């Protein structure tokens, strides 16, 4: 486990602004879809990462076909924090994607207001389990289609149909390596959450 360096400077003093509302969100998706990368890209603090080198034993269950030079895997969770606005601070938890960690992910979803489901267009079906976890937990979510150079480009309607998404579920395209692009997923989720919040009773 290591606390990775970040190219993004934290807010002055590295503290949460007084009076800010803290929101917990969870980033889920299959193995090697870019969850750790996204958390690191958007975090205002040096993200906590729990990536370890893959062993030959792990290679038997974590299929690396078409995943390039991927040689690490998240063994617990990633954590980052970002101030999306002066009054909204997001605590971002990146969940491991392997099915054997499903119980831990369900526990991680407790107390979350919503989540981001990451998707690789080369293996759309592998995000079904992550969507099922979110819907079983009753949490709103945004689908973030991560950019991979060799991935096919599906039309949004095709992806929505394949994933059985409701018309109101946001679907955005991002490059998890780039802060500005990755932040679009956070903005889409928070906008979605706010749109579902009932107006206060006078």
């Amino acid at each position: 486990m290591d606390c990775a360096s970040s190219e993004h400077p934290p807010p002055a003093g590295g503290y949460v602004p007084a009076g800010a509302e803290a929101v917990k969100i969870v980033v889920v998706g299959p193995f090697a879809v870019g969850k750790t990368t996204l958390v690191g890209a958007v975090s205002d603090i040096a993200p906590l990462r729990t990536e370890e080198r893959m062993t030959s034993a792990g290679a038997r269950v974590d299929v690396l076909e078409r995943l390039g030079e991927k040689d690490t895997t998240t063994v617990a969770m990633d954590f980052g924090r970002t101030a999306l606005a002066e009054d909204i601070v997001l605590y971002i938890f990146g969940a491991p994607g392997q099915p054997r960690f499903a119980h831990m992910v369900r526990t991680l979803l407790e107390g979350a207001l919503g989540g981001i489901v990451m998707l690789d267009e080369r293996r759309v079906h592998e995000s079904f389990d992550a969507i099922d976890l979110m819907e079983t937990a009753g949490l709103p979510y945004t689908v973030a289609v991560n950019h991979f150079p060799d991935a096919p480009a599906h039309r949004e309607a095709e992806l929505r149909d394949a994933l059985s998404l409701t018309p109101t579920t946001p679907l955005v395209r991002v490059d998890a390596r780039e802060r500005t692009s990755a932040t679009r997923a956070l903005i889409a989720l928070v906008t979605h959450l706010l749109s579902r919040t009932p107006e206060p009773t006078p």
Side-chain angles (χ1 to χ4, degrees):
M1 181 185 304
D2 66 270
C3 197
S5 62
S6 172
E7 62 187 47
H8 315 300
Y15 55 82
V16 175
E21 180 180 0
V23 177
K24 175 185 177 182
I25 67 171
V26 181
V27 182
V28 298
F31 171 68
V33 76
K35 300 181 297 294
T36 295
T37 302
L38 184 138
V39 172
V42 301
S43 183
D44 291 332
I45 61 174
L48 174 67
R49 292 176 174 166
T50 57
E51 285 203 317
E52 297 291 347
R53 290 284 179 185
M54 294 185 64
T55 64
S56 57
R60 299 191 188 105
V61 292
D62 297 329
V63 180
L64 297 177
E65 183 181 359
R66 293 196 299 177
L67 298 183
E69 299 179 355
K70 174 74 172 175
D71 62 356
T72 61
T73 183
T74 299
V75 295
M77 66 179 183
D78 302 312
F79 172 76
R81 189 189 76 203
T82 187
L84 197 60
E86 290 185 2
D87 58 346
I88 300 177
V89 175
L90 302 183
Y91 289 90
I92 309 162
F93 293 83
Q98 300 89 328
R100 62 184 179 277
F101 290 119
H103 177 72
M104 190 188 86
V105 177
R106 283 191 288 269
T107 300
L108 191 59
L109 291 175
E110 295 177 4
L113 289 189
I116 295 172
V117 176
M118 296 198 66
L119 182 141
D120 178 347
E121 290 184 273
R122 298 171 299 181
R123 43 198 181 103
V124 173
H125 66 284
E126 292 185 16
S127 289
F128 292 170
D129 288 345
I131 289 176
D132 185 62
L133 283 170
M134 297 299 299
E135 294 185 345
T136 299
L139 293 176
Y141 60 91
T142 288
V143 175
V145 183
N146 196 14
H147 170 74
F148 291 94
D150 59 339
H154 296 92
R155 291 179 298 176
E156 180 175 333
E158 293 175 325
L159 291 175
R160 287 186 171 278
D161 183 62
L163 300 171
S164 299
L165 299 181
T166 66
T168 58
T169 299
L171 186 149
V172 296
R173 293 186 177 274
V174 303
D175 185 332
R177 301 166 299 179
E178 299 180 2
R179 180 177 175 87
T180 300
S181 180
T183 301
R184 291 179 57 216
L186 301 181
I187 294 172
L189 175 61
V190 171
T191 302
H192 185 43
L193 291 174
L194 292 175
S195 71
R196 293 166 51 93
T197 303
E199 293 292 330
T201 302

